[in-house]
Amino acid sequence: GGEPLMAFDVVKEVVDYARSKEKEYNKNFRFTITTNGMLLTDDKIDYINKEMYNVVLSLDGRKEVNDRMRFCVNGSGSYDIILPKFQKMAKERGDGQYYIRGTFTKYNKDFSNDVLHFYEKGFEQISIEPVVTDPKLPYALTEEDLPEVYAEYEKLAKIRVHAPSNVCAAAAVETSMFRLHRRAMFTHVISLSANRNGLWAASTICR
């Protein structure tokens, strides 16, 4: 774990070193970076969009969901700081790979609303994943939450939101290897597609 933008000089050094070895080893290195966005600046966005094959933009969900879990030192929320930076990053990547990644906890088991919120904010590649944490923490998911989680996936699979006529995009939402208390493991994949007729989803659960 950790925020790579806190040591961005190290990120650049690693990329430069790998690039210097590509010809020698006849390789093409692809990099992925994950960021919470707090330290994103225009120059970092430019560098990341040039050098990173994929970018993971980490935001928990809607403003109230994100700010409950991710707040600044002074107690204020981080959503309003992060969202415009992520929107700029996604827009400037063009056809480049990225996805915005949300997290659902016991506090936002209605996570289909977070997926739709991301879509409404202009993100076309979306992931929503279950929190993995100490089961004793108040926001941890437990086995008793599974019926609600499954129902929410099915709800998301049936939702259809009309998109503007000029929208043509594809998105994927998936959670994989959802493990609770080491007693249950699940793979749940939802694919979302958006085109001129709107946004819809298809859902599969494998147990």
Side-chain angles (χ1 to χ4, degrees), residues 92-130:
E92 293 188 0
R93 280 191 75 77
D95 294 332
Q97 292 195 49
Y98 81 91
Y99 62 89
I100 188 165
R101 184 181 66 199
T103 301
F104 64 90
T105 71
K106 192 180 289 285
Y107 297 153
N108 63 317
K109 288 181 284 186
D110 61 342
F111 55 85
S112 65
N113 292 317
D114 295 299
V115 173
L116 295 176
H117 177 76
F118 287 150
Y119 175 73
E120 290 165 358
K121 292 299 180 180
F123 297 102
E124 297 176 350
Q125 300 175 59
I126 304 165
S127 171
I128 189 87
E129 303 176 15

Side-chain angles (χ1 to χ4, degrees), residues 40-55 57 83-99 121-125:
L40 267 181
T41 57
D42 288 349
D43 62 316
K44 289 185 176 71
I45 289 174
D46 291 342
Y47 181 86
I48 290 170
N49 282 343
K50 177 184 176 184
E51 296 290 350
M52 299 295 161
Y53 176 75
N54 193 17
V55 180
L57 308 174
L83 181 66
K85 298 178 180 183
F86 281 176
Q87 289 174 317
K88 178 180 175 65
M89 169 76 82
K91 182 178 180 180
E92 293 188 0
R93 280 191 75 77
D95 294 332
Q97 292 195 49
Y98 81 91
Y99 62 89
K121 292 299 180 180
F123 297 102
E124 297 176 350
Q125 300 175 59

Side-chain angles (χ1 to χ4, degrees), residues 38 59 63-82:
M38 289 293 290
L59 187 69
K63 178 178 172 66
E64 63 271 22
V65 169
N66 182 83
D67 288 354
R68 183 173 186 175
M69 300 297 294
R70 299 190 186 191
F71 43 85
C72 302
V73 174
N74 64 7
S76 64
S78 61
Y79 176 94
D80 290 333
I81 299 172
I82 299 168

Side-chain angles (χ1 to χ4, degrees), residues 139-162:
Y139 59 84
L141 292 164
T142 61
E143 287 191 30
E144 67 182 13
D145 297 310
L146 289 177
E148 288 181 79
V149 170
Y150 293 153
E152 193 66 13
Y153 276 123
E154 295 304 328
K155 177 182 176 182
L156 183 57
K158 296 174 183 177
I159 286 174
R160 175 173 178 172
V161 177
H162 291 291

Side-chain angles (χ1 to χ4, degrees), residues 175-192:
T175 64
S176 58
M177 312 310 286
F178 181 17
R179 184 191 296 270
L180 294 175
H181 298 303
R182 301 180 180 273
R183 292 199 297 261
M185 185 175 292
F186 309 88
T187 299
H188 196 136
V189 177
I190 295 176
S191 357
L192 288 167

